[in-house]
Amino acid sequence: MHRSHQLLHLMSDGHFYSGESLGEHLGVSRSMVWKMIKTFEGLGLDVHAVAGKGYRLAAPLELLDEEKIKGILGSDSASLLSGLDIHFDIDSTNRYLMHKAMQDAPSGCACLAEMQSAGRGRRGRSWVSPFAGNIYLSLLWRFNSAPASLGSMGLVVGLAVVSALEETGVQGAGLKWPNDVLVDGKKLAGVLLEMAGDPAGLCHVVIGVGLNVQMPTSADCQIDQPWVDVSSLLGETVERNKLAGRLLHHLLVYMQAFELEGFAPFQAAWQQRDTMYQKRVSLHRVDGVEHGISCGVDARGALLLEQNGLVTPYLTGDVSLRLYDGAEL
Ligand code: BT5
């Protein structure tokens, strides 16, 4: 582990430590400790320095912990996990696993990071990923023979996120087709799926989930749409490792079920959490915009759009769905 990461682990309880004791522990000089502490400010952390007492983090920090996360998994999910890499700082957990997949990493390989410097959203958008407050998780899944409804995988991933949130006590988390997780119209989590190989045969997908747990207020100006985090919804600090473990558990178990049975077993649960049900929406496609009433999803995960009494299914692809307030219908 890098020395400054070790230092952060030492100080993560929020207690005071003298520069001397920290230096001794790490085998570096006091001035080196001070230099390392200075770099924490760049991560958005507040450090109190008090003469005679030393340094402490303004608030305790729960860093990601492999053993704690694995301890939350059930025997069913633990047997599906083939590895868990935890990074302090990475460009993108999805990029990392896509690369690892090319080097024959097995299915069920997962990766988490404390921060991402180039977190990816869909279609070239970015995911704001500040240090040590949120969950940035990717999971590699390999298919020998992908289900016909591979396009609906994002819906299943969204449902796994909502299941983990519900277990944590978050109420009212809903899904917006195909895979946004929202509370009262504010984005709580996002899902990015990146695939390589033959979608009708041997292929692999890297599933990326960004979930806001405790976002620093400084992130507000970087996100150009309404957003929310779990801590503000619950009104208390959340155990990030526990939530990450629950998320990983549900992802692994749901992915296995999806591989074997497709989307159909998830249809009812997804439907119950559909934030757009019976709302006027516009469906943005590459070749134009369709307006209509959103009528949920079918057994393949296709969005059902009602227009003039006629219901048409739309499969995921380069399509996005928005609430529609216009007059046309
Ligand atoms: C997504 O894209 O919602 C998919 C985000 C996936 C992020 C994870 S983190 C782990 C893994 N590794 C990666 O590199 N990525 C995945 P999209 O639907 O395109 O939404 C992106 C939009 O969401 C941005 O344009 C902003 O408007 C908004 N946004 C960005 N960061 C946000 C955040 N932290 N919370 C809420 N909204 C955010």
Short mmCIF file of all heavy atoms in Angstrom, two decimals, residues 90-96 111-113 116 118-130 134-139 176 179-181 186-194 206-213 215 219 222-229, ligand 1:
data_model
loop_
_atom_site.label_atom_id
_atom_site.label_comp_id
_atom_site.label_asym_id
_atom_site.label_seq_id
_atom_site.Cartn_x
_atom_site.Cartn_y
_atom_site.Cartn_z
N ILE A 90 -8.32 5.58 -9.34
CA ILE A 90 -8.26 4.92 -10.65
C ILE A 90 -8.92 5.85 -11.66
O ILE A 90 -9.69 6.75 -11.26
CB ILE A 90 -8.97 3.54 -10.58
CG1 ILE A 90 -8.47 2.61 -11.68
CG2 ILE A 90 -10.47 3.68 -10.62
CD1 ILE A 90 -8.86 1.17 -11.48
N ASP A 91 -8.65 5.67 -12.95
CA ASP A 91 -9.36 6.50 -13.93
C ASP A 91 -10.83 6.07 -13.99
O ASP A 91 -11.73 6.87 -13.79
CB ASP A 91 -8.67 6.45 -15.30
CG ASP A 91 -8.41 5.03 -15.79
OD1 ASP A 91 -8.66 4.08 -15.03
OD2 ASP A 91 -7.95 4.87 -16.93
N SER A 92 -11.05 4.78 -14.24
CA SER A 92 -12.42 4.28 -14.31
C SER A 92 -12.42 2.79 -13.98
O SER A 92 -11.63 2.03 -14.57
CB SER A 92 -12.97 4.51 -15.73
OG SER A 92 -13.93 3.53 -16.07
N THR A 93 -13.27 2.36 -13.08
CA THR A 93 -13.32 0.93 -12.72
C THR A 93 -13.79 0.12 -13.94
O THR A 93 -13.37 -1.02 -14.11
CB THR A 93 -14.27 0.69 -11.53
OG1 THR A 93 -15.54 1.27 -11.82
CG2 THR A 93 -13.72 1.28 -10.25
N ASN A 94 -14.64 0.69 -14.78
CA ASN A 94 -15.08 -0.03 -15.98
C ASN A 94 -13.93 -0.21 -16.96
O ASN A 94 -13.73 -1.27 -17.53
CB ASN A 94 -16.22 0.72 -16.68
CG ASN A 94 -17.57 0.12 -16.37
OD1 ASN A 94 -17.82 -0.23 -15.21
ND2 ASN A 94 -18.44 0.00 -17.35
N ARG A 95 -13.17 0.86 -17.16
CA ARG A 95 -12.03 0.77 -18.08
C ARG A 95 -11.06 -0.30 -17.58
O ARG A 95 -10.56 -1.12 -18.33
CB ARG A 95 -11.34 2.15 -18.17
CG ARG A 95 -10.55 2.39 -19.40
CD ARG A 95 -9.03 2.35 -19.25
NE ARG A 95 -8.47 2.40 -17.94
CZ ARG A 95 -7.61 1.51 -17.47
NH1 ARG A 95 -7.21 0.50 -18.19
NH2 ARG A 95 -7.11 1.63 -16.24
N TYR A 96 -10.82 -0.29 -16.27
CA TYR A 96 -9.90 -1.24 -15.67
C TYR A 96 -10.35 -2.69 -15.92
O TYR A 96 -9.56 -3.54 -16.33
CB TYR A 96 -9.81 -0.94 -14.16
CG TYR A 96 -9.05 -1.98 -13.37
CD1 TYR A 96 -7.66 -1.98 -13.35
CD2 TYR A 96 -9.73 -2.95 -12.64
CE1 TYR A 96 -6.97 -2.94 -12.63
CE2 TYR A 96 -9.05 -3.91 -11.91
CZ TYR A 96 -7.67 -3.90 -11.91
OH TYR A 96 -6.99 -4.86 -11.19
N CYS A 111 -14.43 -4.93 -9.05
CA CYS A 111 -13.46 -3.87 -8.75
C CYS A 111 -14.20 -2.68 -8.13
O CYS A 111 -15.28 -2.30 -8.59
CB CYS A 111 -12.81 -3.49 -10.08
SG CYS A 111 -11.89 -1.98 -10.04
N LEU A 112 -13.60 -2.14 -7.08
CA LEU A 112 -14.16 -0.94 -6.43
C LEU A 112 -13.05 0.10 -6.32
O LEU A 112 -11.88 -0.26 -6.24
CB LEU A 112 -14.62 -1.27 -5.02
CG LEU A 112 -15.98 -1.93 -4.85
CD1 LEU A 112 -16.00 -2.73 -3.55
CD2 LEU A 112 -17.10 -0.90 -4.83
N ALA A 113 -13.41 1.36 -6.28
CA ALA A 113 -12.38 2.39 -6.11
C ALA A 113 -12.89 3.47 -5.16
O ALA A 113 -14.09 3.73 -5.08
CB ALA A 113 -12.03 3.01 -7.45
N GLN A 116 -12.61 8.07 -8.81
CA GLN A 116 -12.29 7.88 -10.22
C GLN A 116 -11.94 9.24 -10.82
O GLN A 116 -12.67 10.22 -10.61
CB GLN A 116 -13.48 7.32 -10.98
CG GLN A 116 -13.96 5.95 -10.52
CD GLN A 116 -15.10 5.42 -11.38
OE1 GLN A 116 -14.97 4.42 -12.04
NE2 GLN A 116 -16.22 6.13 -11.35
N ALA A 118 -11.61 9.63 -14.12
CA ALA A 118 -12.30 9.71 -15.41
C ALA A 118 -13.48 8.74 -15.42
O ALA A 118 -13.58 7.88 -16.29
CB ALA A 118 -11.32 9.41 -16.54
N GLY A 119 -14.35 8.90 -14.40
CA GLY A 119 -15.53 8.04 -14.29
C GLY A 119 -16.40 8.21 -15.53
O GLY A 119 -16.65 9.32 -15.97
N ARG A 120 -16.84 7.08 -16.09
CA ARG A 120 -17.59 7.14 -17.35
C ARG A 120 -19.08 7.06 -17.15
O ARG A 120 -19.56 6.22 -16.37
CB ARG A 120 -17.22 5.94 -18.23
CG ARG A 120 -15.80 5.88 -18.67
CD ARG A 120 -15.65 4.60 -19.48
NE ARG A 120 -14.29 4.38 -19.91
CZ ARG A 120 -13.88 3.27 -20.53
NH1 ARG A 120 -14.73 2.29 -20.76
NH2 ARG A 120 -12.64 3.15 -20.91
N GLY A 121 -19.81 7.88 -17.86
CA GLY A 121 -21.25 7.72 -17.98
C GLY A 121 -21.52 7.08 -19.34
O GLY A 121 -20.60 6.58 -19.99
N ARG A 122 -22.77 7.11 -19.78
CA ARG A 122 -23.08 6.55 -21.10
C ARG A 122 -22.82 7.59 -22.18
O ARG A 122 -22.86 8.78 -21.93
CB ARG A 122 -24.54 6.09 -21.13
CG ARG A 122 -24.79 4.91 -20.19
CD ARG A 122 -26.23 4.51 -20.16
NE ARG A 122 -27.07 5.60 -19.66
CZ ARG A 122 -28.36 5.74 -19.94
NH1 ARG A 122 -28.96 4.88 -20.71
NH2 ARG A 122 -29.03 6.74 -19.43
N ARG A 123 -22.62 7.10 -23.37
CA ARG A 123 -22.42 7.95 -24.56
C ARG A 123 -21.45 9.11 -24.33
O ARG A 123 -21.78 10.27 -24.60
CB ARG A 123 -23.77 8.50 -25.03
CG ARG A 123 -24.54 7.45 -25.82
CD ARG A 123 -25.93 7.90 -26.11
NE ARG A 123 -26.88 7.05 -25.41
CZ ARG A 123 -28.03 7.43 -24.94
NH1 ARG A 123 -28.40 8.68 -25.07
NH2 ARG A 123 -28.82 6.59 -24.33
N GLY A 124 -20.31 8.82 -23.75
CA GLY A 124 -19.26 9.82 -23.60
C GLY A 124 -19.47 10.80 -22.45
O GLY A 124 -18.65 11.68 -22.24
N ARG A 125 -20.58 10.63 -21.71
CA ARG A 125 -20.78 11.54 -20.57
C ARG A 125 -19.88 11.09 -19.42
O ARG A 125 -19.34 10.01 -19.44
CB ARG A 125 -22.26 11.53 -20.15
CG ARG A 125 -23.16 12.20 -21.18
CD ARG A 125 -24.57 12.35 -20.65
NE ARG A 125 -25.27 11.09 -20.61
CZ ARG A 125 -26.14 10.66 -21.53
NH1 ARG A 125 -26.43 11.42 -22.58
NH2 ARG A 125 -26.74 9.50 -21.42
N SER A 126 -19.75 11.95 -18.40
CA SER A 126 -18.87 11.53 -17.31
C SER A 126 -19.65 11.35 -16.01
O SER A 126 -20.77 11.84 -15.85
CB SER A 126 -17.73 12.53 -17.14
OG SER A 126 -18.24 13.80 -16.95
N TRP A 127 -19.02 10.61 -15.09
CA TRP A 127 -19.63 10.33 -13.78
C TRP A 127 -18.76 10.98 -12.72
O TRP A 127 -17.58 10.65 -12.57
CB TRP A 127 -19.73 8.82 -13.56
CG TRP A 127 -20.52 8.49 -12.32
CD1 TRP A 127 -20.05 8.04 -11.13
CD2 TRP A 127 -21.95 8.62 -12.16
NE1 TRP A 127 -21.08 7.88 -10.24
CE2 TRP A 127 -22.26 8.22 -10.84
CE3 TRP A 127 -22.99 9.03 -13.00
CZ2 TRP A 127 -23.56 8.22 -10.34
CZ3 TRP A 127 -24.29 9.03 -12.50
CH2 TRP A 127 -24.56 8.64 -11.20
N VAL A 128 -19.34 11.92 -11.99
CA VAL A 128 -18.59 12.66 -10.96
C VAL A 128 -18.28 11.70 -9.80
O VAL A 128 -19.20 11.13 -9.21
CB VAL A 128 -19.41 13.89 -10.50
CG1 VAL A 128 -18.72 14.60 -9.35
CG2 VAL A 128 -19.62 14.84 -11.68
N SER A 129 -16.99 11.52 -9.50
CA SER A 129 -16.56 10.43 -8.60
C SER A 129 -15.57 10.92 -7.55
O SER A 129 -14.40 10.53 -7.55
CB SER A 129 -15.90 9.33 -9.43
OG SER A 129 -16.67 8.95 -10.53
N PRO A 130 -16.02 11.79 -6.61
CA PRO A 130 -15.09 12.28 -5.59
C PRO A 130 -14.63 11.19 -4.63
O PRO A 130 -15.22 10.10 -4.59
CB PRO A 130 -15.90 13.35 -4.87
CG PRO A 130 -17.31 12.99 -5.10
CD PRO A 130 -17.38 12.31 -6.44
N ASN A 134 -18.51 7.65 -1.97
CA ASN A 134 -19.53 6.95 -2.75
C ASN A 134 -19.10 5.54 -3.10
O ASN A 134 -18.06 5.06 -2.65
CB ASN A 134 -19.79 7.74 -4.04
CG ASN A 134 -20.26 9.14 -3.76
OD1 ASN A 134 -21.02 9.35 -2.80
ND2 ASN A 134 -19.81 10.09 -4.55
N ILE A 135 -19.91 4.89 -3.94
CA ILE A 135 -19.54 3.55 -4.42
C ILE A 135 -19.34 3.62 -5.92
O ILE A 135 -20.23 4.10 -6.65
CB ILE A 135 -20.63 2.53 -4.04
CG1 ILE A 135 -20.64 2.32 -2.52
CG2 ILE A 135 -20.39 1.20 -4.77
CD1 ILE A 135 -21.76 1.45 -2.02
N TYR A 136 -18.19 3.18 -6.37
CA TYR A 136 -17.90 3.03 -7.80
C TYR A 136 -17.51 1.56 -7.97
O TYR A 136 -16.43 1.15 -7.52
CB TYR A 136 -16.74 3.93 -8.24
CG TYR A 136 -16.87 5.34 -7.66
CD1 TYR A 136 -15.94 5.83 -6.73
CD2 TYR A 136 -17.95 6.15 -8.01
CE1 TYR A 136 -16.08 7.09 -6.17
CE2 TYR A 136 -18.09 7.41 -7.45
CZ TYR A 136 -17.16 7.86 -6.53
OH TYR A 136 -17.30 9.10 -5.96
N LEU A 137 -18.41 0.80 -8.53
CA LEU A 137 -18.25 -0.66 -8.58
C LEU A 137 -18.37 -1.17 -10.00
O LEU A 137 -19.28 -0.73 -10.74
CB LEU A 137 -19.34 -1.31 -7.71
CG LEU A 137 -19.52 -2.82 -7.83
CD1 LEU A 137 -18.32 -3.57 -7.24
CD2 LEU A 137 -20.78 -3.27 -7.10
N SER A 138 -17.48 -2.06 -10.40
CA SER A 138 -17.64 -2.74 -11.69
C SER A 138 -17.53 -4.24 -11.48
O SER A 138 -16.83 -4.70 -10.59
CB SER A 138 -16.57 -2.30 -12.69
OG SER A 138 -16.71 -0.93 -12.97
N LEU A 139 -18.27 -4.96 -12.33
CA LEU A 139 -18.29 -6.42 -12.26
C LEU A 139 -18.19 -6.98 -13.67
O LEU A 139 -18.93 -6.54 -14.56
CB LEU A 139 -19.60 -6.88 -11.59
CG LEU A 139 -19.89 -8.38 -11.60
CD1 LEU A 139 -18.91 -9.13 -10.70
CD2 LEU A 139 -21.33 -8.64 -11.12
N LYS A 176 -35.95 4.32 -13.69
CA LYS A 176 -36.39 4.97 -14.93
C LYS A 176 -35.78 4.19 -16.07
O LYS A 176 -34.56 4.04 -16.13
CB LYS A 176 -35.92 6.43 -14.95
CG LYS A 176 -36.49 7.20 -16.10
CD LYS A 176 -35.89 8.57 -16.20
CE LYS A 176 -35.14 8.65 -17.50
NZ LYS A 176 -34.24 9.71 -17.69
N ASN A 179 -32.20 2.25 -17.11
CA ASN A 179 -31.47 1.84 -15.90
C ASN A 179 -31.04 2.95 -14.94
O ASN A 179 -30.07 2.77 -14.21
CB ASN A 179 -30.25 0.98 -16.27
CG ASN A 179 -29.40 1.62 -17.35
OD1 ASN A 179 -29.45 2.82 -17.52
ND2 ASN A 179 -28.63 0.84 -18.07
N ASP A 180 -31.77 4.06 -14.90
CA ASP A 180 -31.44 5.09 -13.90
C ASP A 180 -32.12 4.75 -12.57
O ASP A 180 -33.23 4.22 -12.56
CB ASP A 180 -31.97 6.46 -14.33
CG ASP A 180 -30.97 7.18 -15.22
OD1 ASP A 180 -29.81 6.73 -15.29
OD2 ASP A 180 -31.36 8.19 -15.83
N VAL A 181 -31.45 5.09 -11.47
CA VAL A 181 -32.07 4.91 -10.15
C VAL A 181 -32.31 6.30 -9.56
O VAL A 181 -31.38 7.09 -9.40
CB VAL A 181 -31.15 4.08 -9.22
CG1 VAL A 181 -31.79 3.92 -7.86
CG2 VAL A 181 -30.86 2.71 -9.84
N LYS A 186 -34.62 12.70 -8.52
CA LYS A 186 -33.18 13.04 -8.39
C LYS A 186 -32.35 11.77 -8.56
O LYS A 186 -32.70 10.73 -7.99
CB LYS A 186 -32.90 13.64 -7.00
CG LYS A 186 -33.60 14.95 -6.79
CD LYS A 186 -33.35 15.39 -5.38
CE LYS A 186 -34.21 16.59 -5.05
NZ LYS A 186 -34.31 16.83 -3.63
N LYS A 187 -31.26 11.91 -9.31
CA LYS A 187 -30.45 10.72 -9.63
C LYS A 187 -29.60 10.29 -8.44
O LYS A 187 -28.80 11.05 -7.92
CB LYS A 187 -29.58 11.04 -10.84
CG LYS A 187 -28.91 9.84 -11.44
CD LYS A 187 -28.57 10.08 -12.91
CE LYS A 187 -27.69 8.98 -13.45
NZ LYS A 187 -27.64 8.92 -14.89
N LEU A 188 -29.80 9.02 -8.05
CA LEU A 188 -29.07 8.47 -6.90
C LEU A 188 -27.96 7.54 -7.38
O LEU A 188 -26.92 7.41 -6.74
CB LEU A 188 -30.07 7.70 -6.01
CG LEU A 188 -29.57 6.99 -4.78
CD1 LEU A 188 -28.89 7.95 -3.83
CD2 LEU A 188 -30.74 6.31 -4.06
N ALA A 189 -28.21 6.87 -8.50
CA ALA A 189 -27.21 5.93 -9.04
C ALA A 189 -27.33 5.87 -10.55
O ALA A 189 -28.38 6.17 -11.12
CB ALA A 189 -27.44 4.54 -8.45
N GLY A 190 -26.23 5.48 -11.18
CA GLY A 190 -26.24 5.32 -12.64
C GLY A 190 -25.58 4.00 -12.99
O GLY A 190 -24.74 3.48 -12.25
N VAL A 191 -25.97 3.45 -14.12
CA VAL A 191 -25.47 2.15 -14.56
C VAL A 191 -24.89 2.28 -15.96
O VAL A 191 -25.50 2.88 -16.84
CB VAL A 191 -26.63 1.11 -14.58
CG1 VAL A 191 -26.17 -0.21 -15.20
CG2 VAL A 191 -27.18 0.89 -13.18
N LEU A 192 -23.71 1.73 -16.14
CA LEU A 192 -23.07 1.73 -17.46
C LEU A 192 -22.66 0.30 -17.80
O LEU A 192 -21.95 -0.33 -17.03
CB LEU A 192 -21.80 2.61 -17.42
CG LEU A 192 -20.90 2.54 -18.64
CD1 LEU A 192 -21.58 3.17 -19.85
CD2 LEU A 192 -19.57 3.24 -18.38
N LEU A 193 -23.15 -0.19 -18.93
CA LEU A 193 -22.78 -1.54 -19.38
C LEU A 193 -21.90 -1.43 -20.60
O LEU A 193 -22.26 -0.74 -21.55
CB LEU A 193 -24.04 -2.34 -19.74
CG LEU A 193 -25.09 -2.48 -18.65
CD1 LEU A 193 -26.28 -3.28 -19.16
CD2 LEU A 193 -24.51 -3.14 -17.42
N GLU A 194 -20.76 -2.11 -20.57
CA GLU A 194 -19.89 -2.11 -21.73
C GLU A 194 -19.65 -3.55 -22.14
O GLU A 194 -19.29 -4.38 -21.30
CB GLU A 194 -18.58 -1.38 -21.41
CG GLU A 194 -18.83 0.09 -21.11
CD GLU A 194 -17.57 0.89 -20.90
OE1 GLU A 194 -17.09 0.91 -19.75
OE2 GLU A 194 -17.06 1.48 -21.84
N VAL A 206 -18.97 -5.63 -18.92
CA VAL A 206 -18.55 -5.02 -17.66
C VAL A 206 -19.70 -4.13 -17.20
O VAL A 206 -20.15 -3.23 -17.91
CB VAL A 206 -17.24 -4.22 -17.80
CG1 VAL A 206 -16.95 -3.43 -16.54
CG2 VAL A 206 -16.08 -5.18 -18.07
N ILE A 207 -20.17 -4.46 -16.01
CA ILE A 207 -21.31 -3.75 -15.42
C ILE A 207 -20.74 -2.70 -14.48
O ILE A 207 -20.03 -3.05 -13.53
CB ILE A 207 -22.17 -4.73 -14.59
CG1 ILE A 207 -22.65 -5.88 -15.46
CG2 ILE A 207 -23.30 -4.02 -13.88
CD1 ILE A 207 -22.97 -7.12 -14.66
N GLY A 208 -21.02 -1.44 -14.71
CA GLY A 208 -20.52 -0.39 -13.83
C GLY A 208 -21.67 0.29 -13.10
O GLY A 208 -22.68 0.64 -13.70
N VAL A 209 -21.51 0.44 -11.78
CA VAL A 209 -22.54 1.12 -10.98
C VAL A 209 -21.88 2.25 -10.19
O VAL A 209 -20.91 2.03 -9.48
CB VAL A 209 -23.23 0.15 -9.99
CG1 VAL A 209 -24.26 0.90 -9.16
CG2 VAL A 209 -23.88 -1.00 -10.71
N GLY A 210 -22.42 3.44 -10.35
CA GLY A 210 -22.01 4.56 -9.50
C GLY A 210 -23.17 4.86 -8.57
O GLY A 210 -24.29 5.07 -9.03
N LEU A 211 -22.93 4.82 -7.26
CA LEU A 211 -24.01 5.04 -6.29
C LEU A 211 -23.55 6.11 -5.31
O LEU A 211 -22.53 5.96 -4.63
CB LEU A 211 -24.32 3.71 -5.58
CG LEU A 211 -25.25 3.73 -4.37
CD1 LEU A 211 -26.62 4.31 -4.73
CD2 LEU A 211 -25.43 2.32 -3.82
N ASN A 212 -24.33 7.19 -5.23
CA ASN A 212 -23.97 8.30 -4.32
C ASN A 212 -24.32 7.92 -2.89
O ASN A 212 -25.48 7.69 -2.58
CB ASN A 212 -24.73 9.57 -4.70
CG ASN A 212 -24.36 10.05 -6.09
OD1 ASN A 212 -23.25 9.80 -6.57
ND2 ASN A 212 -25.29 10.73 -6.75
N VAL A 213 -23.32 7.87 -2.03
CA VAL A 213 -23.55 7.51 -0.63
C VAL A 213 -23.44 8.75 0.24
O VAL A 213 -24.37 9.13 0.94
CB VAL A 213 -22.56 6.42 -0.17
CG1 VAL A 213 -22.86 6.01 1.27
CG2 VAL A 213 -22.66 5.20 -1.08
N MET A 215 -21.98 12.40 -0.66
CA MET A 215 -21.33 13.26 -1.66
C MET A 215 -20.91 14.56 -1.00
O MET A 215 -21.70 15.18 -0.28
CB MET A 215 -22.38 13.53 -2.74
CG MET A 215 -21.87 14.20 -3.94
SD MET A 215 -20.92 13.08 -4.95
CE MET A 215 -22.00 12.92 -6.32
N ALA A 219 -19.45 18.86 -4.91
CA ALA A 219 -19.75 18.15 -6.16
C ALA A 219 -20.95 18.77 -6.86
O ALA A 219 -21.17 18.55 -8.06
CB ALA A 219 -20.02 16.68 -5.87
N GLN A 222 -20.74 20.40 -10.17
CA GLN A 222 -20.20 19.59 -11.28
C GLN A 222 -21.27 18.72 -11.94
O GLN A 222 -21.03 18.15 -12.99
CB GLN A 222 -19.11 18.66 -10.75
CG GLN A 222 -17.91 19.35 -10.16
CD GLN A 222 -16.98 18.33 -9.51
OE1 GLN A 222 -16.66 17.31 -10.07
NE2 GLN A 222 -16.57 18.60 -8.29
N ILE A 223 -22.41 18.57 -11.28
CA ILE A 223 -23.43 17.66 -11.82
C ILE A 223 -24.58 18.49 -12.38
O ILE A 223 -25.19 19.27 -11.65
CB ILE A 223 -23.93 16.68 -10.73
CG1 ILE A 223 -22.74 15.92 -10.12
CG2 ILE A 223 -24.93 15.70 -11.31
CD1 ILE A 223 -23.10 14.97 -9.01
N ASP A 224 -24.84 18.29 -13.67
CA ASP A 224 -25.79 19.18 -14.35
C ASP A 224 -27.22 18.65 -14.35
O ASP A 224 -27.98 18.90 -15.28
CB ASP A 224 -25.30 19.45 -15.78
CG ASP A 224 -25.12 18.17 -16.57
OD1 ASP A 224 -25.40 17.08 -16.01
OD2 ASP A 224 -24.70 18.24 -17.74
N GLN A 225 -27.58 17.86 -13.35
CA GLN A 225 -28.98 17.46 -13.20
C GLN A 225 -29.24 17.21 -11.71
O GLN A 225 -28.30 17.04 -10.94
CB GLN A 225 -29.29 16.22 -14.03
CG GLN A 225 -28.55 14.97 -13.63
CD GLN A 225 -29.11 13.74 -14.35
OE1 GLN A 225 -30.22 13.31 -14.08
NE2 GLN A 225 -28.35 13.20 -15.28
N PRO A 226 -30.52 17.20 -11.28
CA PRO A 226 -30.78 16.98 -9.85
C PRO A 226 -30.25 15.62 -9.40
O PRO A 226 -30.39 14.63 -10.12
CB PRO A 226 -32.32 17.01 -9.76
CG PRO A 226 -32.77 17.70 -11.00
CD PRO A 226 -31.75 17.40 -12.06
N TRP A 227 -29.61 15.60 -8.24
CA TRP A 227 -29.04 14.35 -7.73
C TRP A 227 -29.25 14.30 -6.22
O TRP A 227 -29.59 15.30 -5.58
CB TRP A 227 -27.54 14.25 -8.05
CG TRP A 227 -26.72 15.36 -7.45
CD1 TRP A 227 -26.47 16.56 -8.02
CD2 TRP A 227 -26.11 15.39 -6.15
NE1 TRP A 227 -25.73 17.33 -7.17
CE2 TRP A 227 -25.47 16.63 -6.01
CE3 TRP A 227 -26.01 14.46 -5.11
CZ2 TRP A 227 -24.78 16.99 -4.86
CZ3 TRP A 227 -25.31 14.81 -3.97
CH2 TRP A 227 -24.70 16.07 -3.85
N VAL A 228 -29.03 13.12 -5.66
CA VAL A 228 -29.20 12.95 -4.22
C VAL A 228 -28.23 11.86 -3.76
O VAL A 228 -27.71 11.11 -4.59
CB VAL A 228 -30.69 12.60 -3.92
CG1 VAL A 228 -31.07 11.21 -4.42
CG2 VAL A 228 -31.03 12.76 -2.46
N ASP A 229 -27.98 11.78 -2.45
CA ASP A 229 -27.15 10.67 -1.94
C ASP A 229 -27.88 9.95 -0.80
O ASP A 229 -28.86 10.46 -0.25
CB ASP A 229 -25.75 11.14 -1.53
CG ASP A 229 -25.75 12.17 -0.43
OD1 ASP A 229 -26.79 12.33 0.24
OD2 ASP A 229 -24.72 12.83 -0.21
C1 BT5 B 1 -24.76 6.83 -16.04
O1 BT5 B 1 -24.50 7.49 -17.21
O2 BT5 B 1 -25.63 7.07 -15.26
C2 BT5 B 1 -23.77 5.70 -15.78
C3 BT5 B 1 -22.83 6.02 -14.67
C4 BT5 B 1 -21.97 4.82 -14.32
C5 BT5 B 1 -20.87 5.19 -13.36
C6 BT5 B 1 -20.11 3.97 -12.91
S1 BT5 B 1 -19.05 4.30 -11.59
C7 BT5 B 1 -18.32 2.76 -11.73
C8 BT5 B 1 -18.18 2.48 -13.21
N1 BT5 B 1 -16.95 2.99 -13.74
C9 BT5 B 1 -17.14 3.99 -14.62
O3 BT5 B 1 -16.24 4.61 -15.20
N2 BT5 B 1 -18.46 4.20 -14.76
C10 BT5 B 1 -19.24 3.28 -13.95
P1 BT5 B 1 -25.49 8.55 -17.84
O4 BT5 B 1 -26.88 7.99 -17.88
O5 BT5 B 1 -24.84 8.94 -19.11
O6 BT5 B 1 -25.47 9.72 -16.80
C11 BT5 B 1 -24.43 10.65 -16.75
C12 BT5 B 1 -25.03 11.95 -16.27
O7 BT5 B 1 -25.40 11.80 -14.88
C13 BT5 B 1 -24.07 13.13 -16.31
O8 BT5 B 1 -24.11 13.75 -17.55
C14 BT5 B 1 -24.61 14.01 -15.19
O9 BT5 B 1 -25.74 14.74 -15.64
C15 BT5 B 1 -25.12 13.00 -14.17
N3 BT5 B 1 -24.13 12.68 -13.15
C16 BT5 B 1 -22.77 12.65 -13.23
N4 BT5 B 1 -22.24 12.26 -12.08
C17 BT5 B 1 -23.26 12.05 -11.22
C18 BT5 B 1 -23.36 11.63 -9.88
N5 BT5 B 1 -22.30 11.31 -9.15
N6 BT5 B 1 -24.61 11.55 -9.33
C19 BT5 B 1 -25.71 11.84 -10.04
N7 BT5 B 1 -25.69 12.23 -11.32
C20 BT5 B 1 -24.47 12.33 -11.90
#
